[in-house]
Amino acid sequence: MENRLAFNDVVDPKHHRKNDLGFFEYTYKAEITSIHRLTGMENLYRIQIVNPEDRKSFTFQPGQFLMLELPGIGEAPFSISSSPSRHGDVELCIRKAGNLTNFLARVPRGAKVGIRGPFGTSFPMEKMYGQNLFLIAGGLGLAPLRSAISYVQENRSHFNNVDIIYGTKEPSQLLFTYQYDLWTADDITLSITVDKPDPSWKGEVGLITGILERIFSERDDSFFKNTYAIVCGPPVMFKFVCNMLTQKDIPMEKMFVSLERRMHCGMGKCCRCNVGSTYTCLKGPVFDYWTVMNLKEAI
Amino acid sequence: MIFKVFAKEELRSFFDTLASSNKVVGPVGIGKDRHGDTLFAFEDVDRFGDLRLDYTTTRLPAKRFFLPFRESMASFSLEKGDWKKDISYNIDRPHIFFGLHPCDINALNKLDKVLLGSAYPMPYYAVKRKNMFIIGIDCTPQPYCFCRSMGSDTALHGFDMFLTDLGDRYFVEILSDSAYNLLKNIRTSDPVEGDHVHYMKVVSEKTRKFVTRVDTTDLTKILDMEFQSDVWKQWGDRCLGCGTCANVCPTCYCYNVDESVDISLQRATKDKMLYSCTVIDFAQVAGGHNFRPERHSRLKYRYYHKHRGFVEAYEESLCVGCGRCGESCLAGITVPEVIASVRGEEV
Ligand SMILES: Cc1cc2nc3c(=O)[nH]c(=O)nc-3n(C[C@H](O)[C@H](O)[C@H](O)COP(=O)(O)OP(=O)(O)OC[C@H]3O[C@@H](n4cnc5c(N)ncnc54)[C@H](O)[C@@H]3O)c2cc1C
Ligand code: SF4
Ligand code: SF4
Ligand code: FES
């Protein structure tokens, strides 16, 4: 009688990406096709999945992120900063912050990187059809927001009034300056503010909340009945902004924020991104503000 | 469900049939602690005589066989700006686990929920778990065991067969076809009414031996209400942030990922290492911001995940009450005491 137990090979090696288990570590090979210096700290990388079929089938929604891998150096999460209609030809706006991001800043065009994903929740753009939109970003928060902006531009007729409100510390830190005219050309109102102006700065000065106050005074209360908000930035910023928006009786469920936590898997397994009773990578990074208010340690 | 009984001597020949053509892991004695009590561990076992089926609780759980402390996730061959990724799940044959206690089987069942049953099942775990043949065995509750409070004192599934010691015989519960077939190698018989009575007597004697209890009534709400409580600060002041508790816990699975290039610059590896949420940089991000810089916030998070977050997701807690973390903690922090104090009870 055969008493040797048979090996049960649960992952079919030939079909890794199609098999649930094989998906886990599946990495698309992608090429850095251009590197654009945005500021002293941030570069915009255009990254294209090499296999044309995979490039087409790679779909994502604004607000989602991917894991970018440089073999032997590391892997880290980044929000996709480009339009979802461009599929697996994505743009990532990346700040030099540590090991991987500094290495990336020295990598030449044409280098091959790995991509896993896309992961996480997204801004529910279709739910916002027919509504007014506040798209609000502080600092690097413009990176995820830019994907939503592209979506709005491409589907402009689906949205009513659209405001982009953007703030940074100094004018030199402003991202995507070359796109501002294109946004306003699509009938989007753009308000920009900086904390510390330099002599050449002619725009508004102060916090984002200051701009909001100005906008509040210009619009009547009925405007806010049909308004959604997407707020990307550090917790102190979105907390103040969302609290201001609640004064206009915008329900917290109509405000969306994106959280940032340490991440090593993107799939609810490493637990590093845990916030309150849940995971940022699975139930987030995009949460509605009501949910965030109910998560311990989220703000 | 199929039950059988067999004479105790038969177990040796059962072991030999299995060990002759399979890899067997089981509890063995590995020395004495400072009180002179035997220390137990799960190790590869070749001879039946080395097995200590009367073991209490092993210091370390069996998890190194299905969630190794350090494991390679992938390797890369690097060549002029290009690379190729090879993924291996690091197992090629089944393992037989000879003598797991109910708490450790239940720990596997809990891990299954998150590592197999949720979105994105994890292949590194799945392949090992699907190649486990588990022989469970009943235990004697130790002073630190509170598995009964956590509903983990009996294992309902997640094993192939389960043994209960009836003195001169074993009572065996058979759950899998392969266990049923393997048992054909030894002499077994159907239990008679007397065996059932005997079995129930053994079980109720075991139940009477529990001395440590944890009140889990309304615990999820209490953990929310007492989130800012000073008791966390008091426990946090004692905690060393060493991570031992997660290391010895049969249900802790958090990890870190680390990539490195070898000296030839032609190969790179991506490794996964088990991590602990009580260690200082668990939630630290680039630029130095730490979401849980204080020891008490990290210790609290360990309890919050196990007894609140996991309950929300799976309607059961991520603690089987084995008591290992309390036994190993140099600061003497135990789950029953922490939970009692959060509930406002005298400790
Ligand atoms: C959902 C999400 C979206 C993000 N989007 C962007 C973006 O669009 N642009 C951008 O510049 N940055 C973004 N970040 C932050 C970015 O992930 C970190 O800057 C990056 O991980 C730093 O990696 P490093 O190796 O350079 O730093 P190190 O300090 O050397 O970090 C080592 C490892 O720790 C982990 N880690 C460290 N910091 C973070 C962090 N903040 N978040 C998650 N994991 C971290 C990563 O696995 C990283 O590889 C995002 C983070 C999250 C969670
Ligand atoms: S609770 Fe104990 S074992 Fe866990 S980290 Fe703190 S000191 Fe270490
Ligand atoms: S938390 Fe402690 S008692 Fe609970 S399962 Fe883990 S080691 Fe055992
Ligand atoms: S990133 Fe690993 S659990 Fe969320």
Side-chain angles (χ1 to χ4, degrees), chain B residues 138-155:
Chain B
D138 237 325
C139 54
T140 309
Q142 301 300 308
Y144 46 80
C145 295
F146 57 100
C147 55
R148 192 164 167 75
S149 301
M150 306 313 295
S152 298
D153 54 329
T154 48

Side-chain angles (χ1 to χ4, degrees), chain B residues 27-41 50 52 54-59 142 144:
Chain B
V28 297
I30 51 158
K32 306 260 183 220
D33 68 8
R34 63 197 146 93
H35 308 296
D37 296 329
T38 306
L39 288 169
F40 295 102
D50 293 340
R52 285 289 303 272
D54 62 335
Y55 75 111
T56 51
T57 303
T58 54
R59 267 294 149 100
Q142 301 300 308
Y144 46 80

Side-chain angles (χ1 to χ4, degrees), chain B residues 312-328:
Chain B
E312 178 179 308
Y314 301 106
E315 299 188 10
E316 59 180 74
S317 114
L318 186 62
C319 169
V320 293
C322 68
R324 283 186 179 98
C325 56
E327 285 298 286
S328 290

Side-chain angles (χ1 to χ4, degrees), chain A residues 75-77 79 93 95 98-101 260-261 263-264, chain B residues 285-286:
Chain A
E75 193 180 34
S79 303
C93 168
R95 172 178 293 175
N99 208 8
L100 176 102
T101 46
E260 189 180 329
R261 285 294 181 280
M263 293 187 177
H264 280 296
Chain B
V285 295

Side-chain angles (χ1 to χ4, degrees), chain A residues 259-263 271-285 287 291-292 294-299, chain B residues 227 282-283 291-292 301 304-305 309 312:
Chain A
L259 295 191
E260 189 180 329
R261 285 294 181 280
R262 186 169 182 137
M263 293 187 177
C271 298
R272 304 302 287 272
C273 69
N274 204 294
V275 54
S277 57
T278 193
Y279 299 108
T280 310
C281 67
L282 284 183
K283 296 286 172 67
F287 291 94
T291 305
V292 168
N294 283 285
L295 287 176
K296 302 280 183 205
E297 294 183 335
I299 315 179
Chain B
F227 200 79
F282 185 84
F291 286 94
R292 294 188 203 100
Y301 163 69
Y304 199 77
H305 181 204
E312 178 179 308

